[in-house]
């Protein structure tokens, strides 16, 4: 993939990211981060961040949402 085309995109759009959700800008939130891929030597890496207002954490627990490293 030609990186020059991607580097011209604004930093808060496209493959580089997105803005913080409005409801997460003014309240405490939990943030989850995950990655997938093999890294710059063996292939592309993809990172994802998820915001969750603290008052919604119980809802996620009831739905059974958990991290991949959770035992």
């Amino acid at each position: 993939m030609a990186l020059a085309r991607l580097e011209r995109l604004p930093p808060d759009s496209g493959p580089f990211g997105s803005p913080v959700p409005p409801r997460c800008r003014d309240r405490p939130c939990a943030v989850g981060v995950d990655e997938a891929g093999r890294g710059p030597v063996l292939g592309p890496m993809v990172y994802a961040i998820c915001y969750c207002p603290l008052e919604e954490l119980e809802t996620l627990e009831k739905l059974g949402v958990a991290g991949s490293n959770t035992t």
Side-chain angles (χ1 to χ4, degrees):
M1 174 191 314
L3 291 179
R5 181 178 61 86
L6 296 176
E7 290 170 345
R8 289 192 297 269
L9 294 172
D12 63 347
S13 69
F16 292 112
S18 60
V20 174
R23 72 182 284 200
C24 293
R25 292 180 188 170
D26 61 355
R27 60 177 52 123
C29 289
V31 178
V33 180
D34 201 1
E35 82 284 333
R38 297 182 175 254
V41 175
L42 300 174
M45 287 289 292
V46 177
Y47 293 89
I49 297 174
C50 178
Y51 299 88
C52 180
L54 292 181
E55 67 264 20
E56 298 293 335
L57 285 179
E58 186 175 330
T59 302
L60 291 181
E61 291 171 2
K62 287 179 183 177
L63 291 170
V65 175
S68 60
N69 296 330
T70 304
T71 57

